[in-house]
Amino acid sequence: MGAYILRRLLLVIPTLLGIMIINFALIQFVPGGPIEQILAELEGGGDVFEGISGGGSELVDSGDSDYIGGRGLPADFIADLEREFGFDKPPLERFLNMMWNYMRFDFGESYFRSISVFDLVMEKMPVSITLGLWSTLIAYMISIPLGIKKAVRDGTPFDTWTSGAIIVGYAIPGFLFAILLIVLFAGGSYWRIFPLRGLTSANFEELSLIGQVLDYFWHIALPVLASTISAFATLTLLTKNSFLDEIKKQYVMTARAKGLSENRVLYGHVFRNAMLIVISGFPALFIGVFFGGSLIIETLFSLDGLGRLGFEAAVARDYPVVFGTLFAFSLIGLVVGIITDLTYVLIDPRIDFEARN
């Protein structure tokens, strides 16, 4: 197992390097970099994309095709901006410098926020932890018992109507369900039961410990529910099918023939084998929800998390934030893949990746 883990760790390096190279190369062809963003603001053009699409053509002198001259800004000013952002160097040198810094976990500072990328991510982390952790836990706590019951009662009316409800929940987009929750329970048109902004109230620090816990859950109830609704279907059906496959095997029939109770057979023998694929996928599922924060849900509930951070950084061409978070999250994702394999072995020691290789 040690040799397998070492090989996987060594594969992390070229995989991570490939991810960074591809994204860095693509960025070079995207119009409207950070320099153009600043120039657009200085000229009062609002959005740099207006100039790209022609909407900001009034800012460009028709008699001069040169970008700097068309803007009417001095060349020295543009050169100073390029030096400040590092764009006075060729792309290859910028990429090598960036990767050298990232290898030392130095992600630099945001172009527009005057804060380090690490501090910026940590500032947004509570929202992502809230949505990722609670959405994953709730999905598992509901889907696993429901999937087991559906497997035991396969083909019954209970199995039929729960499957219909799950499919409907899966088909409803998360943002649409979030809007429905806001309209019904957050003062949209009916009841104002839950708050619509932030993770905590303004007087959070003044509350008692129990009051703070209740206030926290009061604020996260709707966004967590909205981000969890579509996760039930896959996990529930995966649990059901996994249990059905195990229930039909010979060792289950042997256990029943020995006179063991149905619960003993189900939870003493079937559960461990059937839950292998479900439980081992927990790390990857949590990381997926955690780092893939829903931009729309965060926006609807006024939550400032990693989803909004990534979107705003991409729009503003805040490259240190874009590449810093890409490097860190890709590295974590690759390591979690290794942890997932270790989870397989922990749950079922019969699995041997060395023998497979």
Side-chain angles (χ1 to χ4, degrees), residues 37-98:
Q37 293 280 4
I38 294 176
L39 296 180
E41 292 182 5
L42 291 176
E43 291 287 352
D47 193 340
V48 67
F49 301 109
E50 295 178 2
I52 296 170
S53 62
S57 58
E58 69 276 1
L59 298 175
V60 181
D61 185 358
S62 60
D64 189 356
S65 61
D66 183 75
Y67 177 75
I68 298 173
R71 287 285 187 181
L73 295 171
D76 292 342
F77 177 75
I78 304 296
D80 289 340
L81 279 179
E82 290 178 346
R83 277 194 298 272
E84 182 179 351
F85 290 120
F87 290 108
D88 57 326
K89 301 180 178 66
L92 179 59
E93 183 178 350
R94 286 191 281 119
F95 177 77
L96 294 177
N97 289 337
M98 180 183 72

Side-chain angles (χ1 to χ4, degrees), residues 46-47 63 80 109 116 131 140 161 185-186 208 226 247 263 265 321 345:
D47 193 340
D80 289 340
E109 187 174 287
S116 70
L131 293 179
Y140 267 84
W161 72 261
F185 304 112
S208 64
I247 288 174
N263 284 338
V265 172
V321 177
V345 177

Side-chain angles (χ1 to χ4, degrees), residues 134-154:
W134 289 114
S135 296
T136 305
L137 288 178
I138 291 174
Y140 267 84
M141 287 189 297
I142 295 178
S143 297
I144 291 177
L146 181 59
I148 295 174
K149 191 168 185 178
K150 284 174 64 64
V152 173
R153 302 178 64 177
D154 183 43

Side-chain angles (χ1 to χ4, degrees), residues 8-246:
R8 288 292 303 271
L9 288 174
L10 292 176
L11 282 174
V12 167
I13 298 175
T15 304
L16 188 59
L17 184 61
I19 292 173
M20 298 303 296
I21 290 175
I22 292 173
N23 284 275
F24 186 86
L26 290 175
I27 284 293
Q28 307 310 308
F29 300 99
V30 176
I35 302 284
E36 287 78 4
Q37 293 280 4
I38 294 176
L39 296 180
E41 292 182 5
L42 291 176
E43 291 287 352
D47 193 340
V48 67
F49 301 109
E50 295 178 2
I52 296 170
S53 62
S57 58
E58 69 276 1
L59 298 175
V60 181
D61 185 358
S62 60
D64 189 356
S65 61
D66 183 75
Y67 177 75
I68 298 173
R71 287 285 187 181
L73 295 171
D76 292 342
F77 177 75
I78 304 296
D80 289 340
L81 279 179
E82 290 178 346
R83 277 194 298 272
E84 182 179 351
F85 290 120
F87 290 108
D88 57 326
K89 301 180 178 66
L92 179 59
E93 183 178 350
R94 286 191 281 119
F95 177 77
L96 294 177
N97 289 337
M98 180 183 72
M99 292 304 299
W100 171 246
N101 291 331
Y102 286 1
M103 287 172 60
R104 296 176 293 156
F105 295 98
D106 178 10
F107 300 116
E109 187 174 287
S110 169
Y111 284 158
F112 306 108
R113 304 191 188 214
S114 298
I115 182 175
S116 70
V117 174
F118 179 81
D119 291 339
L120 187 59
V121 170
M122 294 305 296
E123 179 184 312
K124 314 297 182 184
M125 196 71 77
V127 172
S128 297
I129 290 177
T130 293
L131 293 179
L133 180 61
W134 289 114
S135 296
T136 305
L137 288 178
I138 291 174
Y140 267 84
M141 287 189 297
I142 295 178
S143 297
I144 291 177
L146 181 59
I148 295 174
K149 191 168 185 178
K150 284 174 64 64
V152 173
R153 302 178 64 177
D154 183 43
T156 65
F158 172 82
D159 181 41
T160 302
W161 72 261
T162 52
S163 295
I166 290 171
I167 292 173
V168 170
Y170 183 75
I172 298 176
F175 77 91
L176 188 60
F177 187 64
I179 294 175
L180 177 63
L181 293 176
I182 292 173
V183 171
L184 292 177
F185 304 112
S189 298
Y190 295 90
W191 305 282
R192 189 175 183 82
I193 301 175
F194 296 95
L196 191 56
R197 183 178 298 275
L199 287 180
T200 57
S201 300
N203 63 336
F204 181 78
E205 299 296 335
E206 302 172 4
L207 300 175
S208 64
L209 179 59
I210 297 178
Q212 289 179 344
V213 171
L214 294 176
D215 182 76
Y216 171 73
F217 282 108
W218 183 47
H219 279 76
I220 70 171
L222 295 187
V224 168
L225 183 58
S227 62
T228 308
I229 186 67
S230 61
F232 292 123
T234 303
L235 193 54
T236 301
L237 296 179
L238 179 64
T239 303
K240 175 191 173 182
N241 293 334
S242 181
F243 266 80
L244 284 177
D245 288 341
E246 291 296 324

